[in-house]
Amino acid sequence: MRPSSILALVLLAPLLASPAVGAPADDPRPIVPASEILAKIERGEPVEYHRVIVVGDLDLSGLDLPVQHIERSVSGSMSDLPGDMKVVKSSIRIINSEIRGEVNFCLSIFQEPVNFMGTNFIEDALFSGANFIAHDLNVWRPISSIFFLEYSLGSPDFSWAEFAGDANFFKAEFAGYADFRGTKFRKDAIFYETEFTGQANFQDVEISNGGAYFGGAVFRGDANFRGAVFSGNADFMNIKFRIFPRGYGVYQSGYSILLGSAYFRDAEFIGRNANFEETVFSGGNIYFENTKFSGNAVFVDVLFNGDVYFRNAFFSGDAIFETADFSRNADFHEAKYNSGAIFKMAKFNGDNVCFRNGDFGEDVNFEDSVFDRVNLTLEDARNIRTLRLSNSTFRNESTISLKGTDYQRLYVHWDQIKGSFVYDGESYLKLIKNFKTIEFFEDADACYYQYRRERQSMRSWLERAKYVDILAWLTCGYG
């Protein structure tokens, strides 16, 4: 044999002895070419694989499948999608496996269950415009269209997809950009303990008949829920938004509509601003108890139709509730603020607005706000540099209590609150002193007069001091 032939055999020997291309030498999982799976789908046969490595692209776009025309009746990006969609009659179950090519299930209608439980997607997974209409996926979730328990994706694209049953992404990991723009979830959308390493885009997502469950999820990049509609409960308990400065960096839920209760208990917005501008919470109660906002918390022009709870919330940046509408009770008991708390032009229509024991590091601004049939409580609130109530309105037997409130300056005219101020001797004397400090001398006199009148009315007729007070009132109007 010639030396050149011997050399060629030596060089080829390691390749000939190795397992199939694409599989590590110590990986016992069998290799399945993507073409084998695509052939089954094209013939309408069930696809069933467990603990395998799929090599190649799972691309349905080139398959000879039935086509169904869908009328696009909505505006925006969804209307730009083609109306013709491929119909997939095969059930697809590839679990605890690894797919080493791109997955393209775009513009497909799946009539049977799709199950990728525990499967790792190495490259992009594209489901844009897909429609999952199957039911009865497994015993644990009896009505599910798609099930992605504990799997990871590179840059998944579910934009404008539709899930008729439950969509379960429990403990999934999205390594790249996760695109759920315009996705419709007709049942529950389950993202418990899911981790989004890159940007997560849920803009215009619609969850119509089920709940949105994001408890324990971690968002390490930007999270965008702008325009989202949640018809059921929205559970964001124990969630962590780790928003890094490298991105545009806001958690946007602006223009969103939540028709059920919203749970953000123990959530953390870490890194930048939390933006809920123009969100409508129109269903049940809203819970932000123990929530931590590292940046500004923006609730401008938000509608709270249920009771809202910010008890023990922590605001590192500004808490901005300008023009917000609180239709029911608002509980900010023991909340902590490192910067300003802004409630300018807000409307409070519930029974109670409670800021008791709040810890404010800067100004608290209620200018031009309206309190209608509301008991505003700032009792024992601390570290308020300036409390601003200028041009605020207290209607229909609304009250304001400043018992034990620690403020340096309070800007309000006595005529605005004289019919609503809850009697407390110390609060009156502090307010009188405040009026003199800011040179509201007429307000100081009027407040002092009211204080003496109320103090007199509370004395017993058996007390000599009551008659002395009456004499001072009749002779010189308390001076």
Side-chain angles (χ1 to χ4, degrees):
M1 182 177 292
R2 289 182 297 177
S4 59
S5 300
I6 296 173
L7 179 60
L9 288 174
V10 171
L11 294 174
L12 288 172
L15 296 175
L16 294 173
S18 66
V21 177
D26 58 349
D27 195 329
R29 294 177 295 179
I31 300 296
V32 176
S35 57
E36 177 182 314
I37 297 173
L38 293 174
K40 289 185 177 182
I41 294 175
E42 195 167 43
R43 294 192 296 267
E45 299 174 0
V47 174
E48 182 85 19
Y49 293 96
H50 177 59
R51 294 190 183 279
V52 300
I53 296 176
V54 179
V55 177
D57 296 338
L58 282 178
D59 188 350
L60 304 184
S61 62
L63 299 186
D64 184 16
L65 296 171
V67 174
Q68 180 175 333
H69 184 76
I70 301 294
E71 293 294 334
R72 306 293 186 187
S73 59
V74 299
S75 60
S77 300
M78 185 66 171
S79 60
D80 297 333
L81 293 175
D84 291 336
M85 300 180 65
K86 293 182 178 294
V87 179
V88 178
K89 298 181 178 180
S90 301
S91 61
I92 300 174
R93 188 172 185 267
I94 304 174
I95 64 174
N96 298 317
S97 299
E98 190 171 291
I99 300 177
R100 295 189 174 177
E102 185 177 278
V103 176
N104 183 1
F105 283 10
C106 296
L107 297 172
S108 301
I109 298 174
F110 295 88
Q111 295 184 337
E112 296 296 329
V114 177
N115 189 341
F116 287 101
M117 182 176 66
T119 291
N120 185 14
F121 293 71
I122 301 300
E123 297 187 25
D124 292 347
L126 310 176
F127 292 83
S128 181
N131 190 327
F132 299 88
I133 62 175
H135 299 283
D136 301 321
L137 178 61
N138 53 45
V139 176
W140 187 69
R141 307 276 321 168
I143 302 180
S144 292
S145 293
I146 189 163
F147 193 87
F148 288 103
L149 177 65
E150 294 183 346
Y151 81 113
S152 61
L153 285 173
S155 297
D157 183 356
F158 291 90
S159 59
W160 311 107
E162 182 172 344
F163 300 90
D166 295 346
N168 193 327
F169 294 86
F170 176 62
K171 285 191 175 180
E173 180 179 346
F174 296 88
Y177 174 65
D179 192 352
F180 286 88
R181 287 174 300 164
T183 303
K184 290 181 170 59
F185 297 91
R186 300 305 185 191
K187 297 288 186 179
D188 290 341
I190 302 166
F191 290 87
Y192 280 130
E193 299 183 31
T194 300
E195 183 166 336
F196 299 87
T197 302
Q199 183 179 357
N201 193 343
F202 288 85
Q203 183 171 340
D204 297 318
V205 72
E206 180 182 323
I207 304 175
S208 54
N209 292 317
Y213 301 99
F214 287 83
V218 177
F219 291 83
R220 299 189 183 277
D222 300 343
N224 184 359
F225 285 81
R226 191 177 185 87
V229 177
F230 301 88
S231 296
N233 292 336
D235 182 356
F236 289 82
M237 291 175 59
N238 300 303
I239 201 169
K240 290 179 174 61
F241 294 90
R242 300 183 182 275
I243 304 171
F244 296 146
R246 59 178 172 76
Y248 292 100
V250 291
Y251 167 73
Q252 299 179 2
S253 190
Y255 306 102
S256 299
I257 301 175
L258 289 89
L259 300 177
S261 296
Y263 300 90
F264 287 85
R265 288 192 184 110
D266 301 306
E268 293 183 45
F269 297 85
I270 303 171
R272 301 194 67 174
N273 300 335
N275 188 352
F276 289 84
E277 185 174 352
E278 297 191 16
T279 298
V280 176
F281 296 92
S282 63
N285 297 334
I286 306 97
Y287 300 92
F288 283 91
E289 295 167 309
N290 303 309
T291 300
K292 295 179 181 178
F293 300 92
S294 292
N296 295 334
V298 182
F299 290 86
V300 174
D301 206 22
V302 168
L303 174 61
F304 297 100
N305 266 336
D307 293 340
V308 57
Y309 298 91
F310 282 89
R311 290 179 64 113
N312 205 37
F314 181 75
F315 300 90
S316 290
D318 290 339
I320 307 172
F321 291 83
E322 191 168 341
T323 65
D325 191 334
F326 297 85
S327 296
R328 295 183 61 181
N329 298 322
D331 186 353
F332 289 82
H333 185 201
E334 295 185 342
K336 298 177 179 62
Y337 310 79
N338 274 351
S339 190
I342 303 170
F343 292 85
K344 289 184 64 175
M345 295 181 285
K347 296 178 181 179
F348 299 90
N349 301 299
D351 293 330
N352 296 292
V353 179
C354 180
F355 291 88
R356 184 181 287 113
N357 292 315
D359 190 346
F360 299 87
E362 297 286 343
D363 296 353
V364 183
N365 193 333
F366 289 98
E367 291 179 342
D368 300 296
S369 292
V370 176
F371 301 88
D372 195 350
R373 296 186 179 88
V374 169
N375 300 314
L376 172 61
T377 300
L378 284 156
E379 295 179 2
D380 298 316
R382 305 180 298 280
N383 299 320
I384 300 176
R385 187 176 64 181
T386 303
L387 176 58
R388 301 183 182 276
L389 285 161
S390 301
N391 300 317
S392 58
T393 304
F394 291 82
R395 300 173 179 166
N396 297 319
E397 300 181 350
S398 293
T399 65
I400 175 172
S401 176
L402 298 177
K403 183 177 181 180
T405 306
D406 174 25
Y407 60 87
Q408 296 180 27
R409 296 286 185 275
L410 169 57
Y411 287 93
V412 68
H413 285 291
W414 178 244
D415 284 345
Q416 293 175 235
I417 61 173
K418 68 178 182 180
S420 304
F421 197 72
V422 176
Y423 178 84
D424 173 66
E426 184 178 350
S427 299
Y428 261 108
L429 295 176
K430 183 171 184 176
L431 184 57
I432 294 165
K433 181 180 178 180
N434 171 80
F435 282 141
K436 293 179 179 179
T437 300
I438 61 176
E439 299 184 351
F440 284 15
F441 298 114
E442 293 183 1
D443 294 281
D445 291 343
C447 183
Y448 178 71
Y449 180 86
Q450 182 71 18
Y451 162 66
R452 291 292 299 270
R453 288 286 291 147
E454 292 203 32
R455 189 163 176 260
Q456 177 201 126
S457 67
M458 297 174 70
R459 291 185 183 277
S460 169
W461 288 100
L462 300 177
E463 296 182 61
R464 179 175 178 273
K466 186 177 183 75
Y467 297 95
V468 175
D469 274 351
I470 293 175
L471 180 63
W473 169 51
L474 293 173
T475 57
C476 60
Y478 301 120

